[in-house]
Amino acid sequence: MTTATAPARVNLKPKPNYETTAWKWMRYSGVLLVPLVWIHVAIQDVIVGVHNIDINYVALRWANIGWQVYDILLLAFTFAHGMNGLRQVSFDFFQSDKARRNLSWIIFVAWLVISFIGAMAIIGGARTHLLEP
Amino acid sequence: MTTLIASLRTTLSGYIKYRGREGHYSFLLHRITGLGTLLFLAIHIVDTATVYWMPELYDHAIAIYRLPPFLLGEIGLVFCVIYHGVNGLRIIYQDMVKPSSWTIHTQRRAARWTLALSILFWLPAAFVMFRTLLAHL
């Protein structure tokens, strides 16, 4: 007579991969972005308003290291969060591994280029001296 | 190419035809508000960056934002940012803090509260911005 052996224990929890980490960071960055973006929007769009914003306003703001750090954080977190969101949405429309890999690369390069353009501006500041008087 | 179009059509018709009520609508709103904000954000990073790269262009960029249709768009953008934030916090709470709340009943109620809270936060901002719009007509 043979005795039935107990089935081996199966670990159903998969190892965290890139997508798991990205999923978590969408949530971590989301928590940070609510105060960061809402304060930015409240000041620039509601309180100050686009009619009171010109290059001198930007120059004045970025002469302050505190606002420079704030805007760098804003740029880094909003745009990465947004571009990763775009990647996730695009995966709904493209199912093949090849298409998804290509899309990820395109989105990554676009993210890198636009982030560089923005970061250089925040660090370099408004170059009002280049304007004709 | 035909498979690509078929895949796009399947996904889009699923987005529209799925009848998940509140959960479905908040999923769609989250995506629309997120993508809308991202589209503006990409443009906004580049137009603001002109102060460093091409300072003479910045005035022109700002002049476009001061046109009434863009001011209306700005009021819509503020709604997108508020809704995406409030709904994002709901998702984060349900995912990370209380996964047991992912039930149809709780989610429907939470989705309705999310929309109500977003409108409540948005109305004062929209009022101030609309008043500014009228003052500059």
Side-chain angles (χ1 to χ4, degrees):
Chain A
M1 202 179 98
T2 51
T3 50
T5 48
R9 194 178 278 264
V10 182
N11 188 5
L12 289 172
K13 200 174 179 183
K15 273 207 183 96
N17 58 10
Y18 176 78
E19 291 303 332
T20 328
T21 312
W23 185 91
K24 260 191 219 151
W25 272 94
M26 284 307 266
R27 276 133 190 92
Y28 296 150
S29 59
V31 173
L32 186 72
L33 283 174
V34 169
L36 221 48
V37 174
W38 285 10
I39 289 170
H40 174 78
V41 169
I43 294 175
Q44 312 302 355
D45 295 81
V46 184
I47 298 170
V48 176
V50 72
H51 294 282
N52 299 312
I53 293 175
D54 58 14
I55 194 162
N56 296 316
Y57 174 85
V58 182
L60 209 62
R61 237 172 82 82
W62 285 345
N64 182 325
I65 181 83
W67 284 120
Q68 269 183 314
V69 172
Y70 191 99
D71 286 354
I72 283 282
L73 287 174
L74 205 54
L75 173 68
F77 281 95
T78 47
F79 203 47
H81 181 101
M83 289 303 252
N84 188 52
L86 175 66
R87 201 177 61 88
Q88 288 176 353
V89 173
S90 72
F91 281 12
D92 261 15
F93 295 91
F94 297 89
Q95 278 90 20
S96 82
D97 281 347
K98 193 176 164 235
R100 287 181 174 185
R101 206 166 33 238
N102 290 341
L103 272 168
S104 297
W105 272 108
I106 294 168
I107 292 171
F108 175 74
V109 171
W111 170 75
L112 205 63
V113 169
I114 298 178
S115 291
F116 171 76
I117 292 173
M120 276 301 287
I122 298 172
I123 296 164
R127 296 195 287 180
T128 45
H129 58 274
L130 295 183
L131 293 173
E132 285 170 32
Chain B
M1 194 64 200
T2 41
T3 46
L4 171 67
I5 291 168
S7 149
L8 292 181
R9 190 175 291 160
T10 310
T11 307
L12 270 183
S13 74
Y15 276 10
I16 295 160
K17 287 182 191 154
Y18 178 70
R19 292 194 288 179
R21 289 184 28 187
E22 286 89 335
H24 177 208
Y25 302 140
S26 56
F27 165 86
L28 287 180
L29 256 183
H30 199 70
R31 292 209 150 177
I32 294 167
T33 54
L35 291 175
T37 306
L38 177 65
L39 175 67
F40 170 74
L41 177 62
I43 299 168
H44 178 52
I45 292 170
V46 175
D47 73 53
T48 306
T50 60
V51 299
Y52 172 80
W53 298 98
M54 280 176 255
E56 68 279 5
L57 276 186
Y58 189 70
D59 271 354
H60 299 287
I62 284 293
I64 296 170
Y65 286 133
R66 287 178 186 166
L67 298 172
F70 281 83
L71 292 174
L72 282 177
E74 191 188 16
I75 296 176
L77 173 72
V78 170
F79 177 78
C80 288
V81 166
I82 293 176
Y83 182 83
H84 198 82
V86 177
N87 196 49
L89 288 179
R90 171 181 77 85
I91 294 169
I92 292 163
Y93 176 77
Q94 294 198 219
D95 271 349
M96 314 288 270
V97 184
K98 213 181 167 199
S100 64
S101 64
W102 278 119
T103 61
I104 287 178
H105 180 72
T106 316
Q107 210 199 125
R108 278 185 181 159
R109 207 180 40 194
R112 272 185 250 127
W113 270 105
T114 303
L115 185 60
L117 262 180
S118 305
I119 294 173
L120 196 71
F121 291 162
W122 175 64
L123 279 179
F127 173 77
V128 172
M129 292 168 84
F130 194 68
R131 203 179 48 183
T132 314
L133 189 164
L134 291 181
H136 285 90
L137 275 182

